Amino acid sequence: MRLLVTNDDGIGSEGIAVLARHLDAAGHEVVIVAPDRNYSGSGAALGDLKPDSSLPVEQVAIDGLAHIESWALAGPPALTVVAARLGAFGPPPDLVVSGINAGLNTGRSILHSGTVGAALTGQNFGLSGLAVSVDSGEQWHWDTAAIIAASLIDQVAGGPPRSVINLNVPARRLVDVEGIRWARLAGFGAVRAAMATRVGDEVQFELSGGHQPDPDSDQGTVEAGWASVTTLIGIAEAWPAPRVDDGPDHDGFAIELDVAPGAPLHPVHRIPDASDHRSLRRPVPSA
């Protein structure tokens, strides 16, 4: 499978190198196209792209990956996906893998994440994708996140077209991770903006953390030691779900065989279909 590997931390990030090594070792054809600098918080921005735009691009060598074509593009992560999808770096990829981001991308704040924005840009262009982030700790557990990400590639690729999965991994050794669970988006990420104050010619932001996430949310799942997976839809219309007859919630199946918040990831699970409007739900307001 041909995989485009990108990120928002920049081509020099250790996370993208470790991710690419594990995907290459798993037998995939990997091409790396990443921003030439840090574009964290860029969301799915393309920048000031005009019809006659041309952006600098440089082929680079990444330690241990001399056999993999690697490019640094002077633009945000979403633009690397657009360029690759349109053939600037050879045959279009089959799948976008974005990360490994240094820090979690959880909750509704993922709207602003360049890591997630790259995967959702691929979705907008007809590709499935996987966004990968790892929690901060005493050390970065890049290998833990890369191994779990590599294990999900076939499942994501085998899902409905344009499936995007957001994977968040705790700051633990692989043997210490409890497993993988489906999770819904938390009301907030690990931190949130609590106050903005203008002081002279500057605006100062105050960030707060420490709020208690719901246990079946992505943030709560990771804090409990599990890796969380959430199916994302970028551009979608919201329609009411059709009425159905009351009946057993799971039709007699055990919850572990159903895709539901709190259910462990199981090999029989089918990636929820992003084209099925019945899977869309309004966000639950947070107190």
Side-chain angles (χ1 to χ4, degrees), residues 120-169:
L120 292 177
T121 298
Q123 183 182 72
N124 217 29
F125 277 75
L127 299 173
S128 292
L130 177 66
V132 188
S133 304
V134 66
D135 201 2
S136 59
E138 293 183 1
Q139 67 182 81
W140 291 106
H141 289 273
W142 304 116
D143 285 304
T144 299
I147 291 169
I148 294 175
S151 74
L152 294 175
I153 294 296
D154 288 343
Q155 196 166 356
V156 176
R162 302 173 60 248
S163 293
V164 167
I165 293 295
N166 188 33
L167 167 67
N168 284 281
V169 179

Side-chain angles (χ1 to χ4, degrees), residues 108-240:
R108 295 201 296 272
S109 61
I110 61 170
L111 173 68
H112 313 294
S113 164
T115 303
V116 175
L120 292 177
T121 298
Q123 183 182 72
N124 217 29
F125 277 75
L127 299 173
S128 292
L130 177 66
V132 188
S133 304
V134 66
D135 201 2
S136 59
E138 293 183 1
Q139 67 182 81
W140 291 106
H141 289 273
W142 304 116
D143 285 304
T144 299
I147 291 169
I148 294 175
S151 74
L152 294 175
I153 294 296
D154 288 343
Q155 196 166 356
V156 176
R162 302 173 60 248
S163 293
V164 167
I165 293 295
N166 188 33
L167 167 67
N168 284 281
V169 179
R172 297 186 176 194
R173 299 179 305 160
L174 183 63
V175 296
D176 295 325
V177 176
E178 299 290 342
I180 308 174
R181 279 184 172 175
W182 292 99
R184 60 186 181 85
L185 293 178
F188 307 100
V191 297
R192 58 170 170 155
M195 182 180 296
T197 306
R198 182 177 60 81
V199 180
D201 58 356
E202 295 182 343
V203 175
Q204 299 176 350
F205 288 90
E206 178 181 323
L207 302 180
S208 68
H211 58 281
Q212 187 65 38
D214 292 333
D216 65 351
S217 69
D218 49 7
Q219 184 68 35
T221 296
V222 173
E223 290 184 9
W226 298 75
S228 72
V229 285
T230 307
T231 303
L232 302 178
I233 303 172
I235 304 298
E237 297 179 6
W239 296 89

